[in-house]
Amino acid sequence: MEQLDRFDRDILDIVQRDCQLKAETIAEQVGLSVSAVQRRLKRLREDGIIRAEVAVVDRKATGTSMVFIVGMEIERDNYDALAKFRLWAEKQDHIQQVYYVTGAVDLIAIITARDVEHYDDIAALIMKENPQIRRMHTNVVLRDVKLGLFVPLNAGDRSDGKA
C-alpha cells in the first residue's frame, strides 16, 4: 500500500463528507484532472483505504432509535473468546461497532434497538450465543451529542478545528 500524499488526503477528506460527489467536482476542489481523481479513487478503493460508501440513515425515522453502549467482560483463560465473538457479532445488524479495549471491560459494543425490551432480547441472545462473555455493563444513550466516523487526515490539524 502506497503512502497517502496530499491529493489522496484531500480527496478522502471530500468523499468522507459526501461520497456521491462527481469526480469533476472533486477535481476542481483538489486541483487535479478528472481522470487523475478517478484513478486515485479506484486505487483507494482497491487498497481498502476506502472500505465502504454507505448511506447514513436517521435511526429515529426507522423506529430503531435507542442506542446502548455495552461493556463486556470475557473469560480471561479463553483465548478464542474474542475471535468467536467477533465472528458472531459481524452477523448481528443491531451490533453496530465493537472495540477491544483496555480497562475494566474487554469489549465495548454499540448496539441499536427499538426500545428497552428489544435491547433486553438482544442482550439475552448475546449471552446465550456467547457463553465466553461473563458480564455485560449497559449504558443507555440519552442523546446523540456527536455522531460520525470521519477520519481526520491532515496531521497538522488541531483538535479545536482551526488550522
Side-chain angles (χ1 to χ4, degrees):
M1 185 179 337
E2 293 180 36
Q3 185 84 11
L4 297 176
D5 65 14
R6 180 184 66 82
F7 291 114
D8 291 333
R9 290 176 181 280
D10 288 347
I11 290 168
L12 288 169
D13 186 74
I14 292 166
V15 298
Q16 281 188 93
R17 296 175 197 280
D18 184 353
C19 68
Q20 292 188 324
L21 285 178
K22 303 283 185 221
E24 294 82 8
T25 304
I26 298 169
E28 288 175 21
Q29 292 182 31
V30 300
L32 288 173
S33 69
V34 172
S35 60
V37 167
Q38 291 169 331
R39 280 192 305 273
R40 285 172 180 267
L41 283 168
K42 182 176 190 258
R43 178 180 47 79
L44 292 166
R45 289 177 180 119
E46 288 173 351
D47 288 352
I49 294 167
I50 295 176
R51 295 177 62 185
E53 296 172 62
V54 299
V56 178
V57 176
D58 181 351
R59 288 188 317 271
K60 291 177 184 158
T62 67
T64 306
S65 61
M66 294 197 74
V67 178
F68 301 83
I69 300 173
V70 183
M72 297 180 219
E73 296 177 32
I74 56 177
E75 294 176 356
R76 293 280 179 221
D77 14 337
N78 187 340
Y79 297 106
D80 296 330
L82 181 61
K84 287 177 185 174
F85 181 76
R86 182 183 55 79
L87 290 172
W88 181 83
E90 285 176 357
K91 299 173 193 155
Q92 309 304 313
D93 288 341
H94 287 287
I95 300 176
Q96 302 278 294
Q97 300 168 39
V98 178
Y99 301 97
Y100 181 46
V101 298
T102 61
V105 296
D106 302 300
L107 300 167
I108 298 284
I110 310 300
I111 300 175
T112 59
R114 290 183 306 274
D115 51 36
V116 173
E117 291 81 12
H118 184 212
Y119 169 73
D120 194 44
D121 293 341
I122 294 168
L125 182 65
I126 289 170
M127 295 299 283
K128 177 182 175 233
E129 297 292 324
N130 300 278
Q132 68 276 15
I133 294 177
R134 290 190 328 198
R135 191 170 294 120
M136 293 173 55
H137 306 271
T138 301
N139 294 285
V140 179
V141 173
L142 300 175
R143 178 179 295 140
D144 296 341
V145 176
K146 180 177 181 186
L147 182 64
L149 293 173
F150 186 85
V151 178
L153 295 163
N154 296 317
D157 285 353
R158 299 179 352 193
S159 62
D160 62 6
K162 298 176 183 172

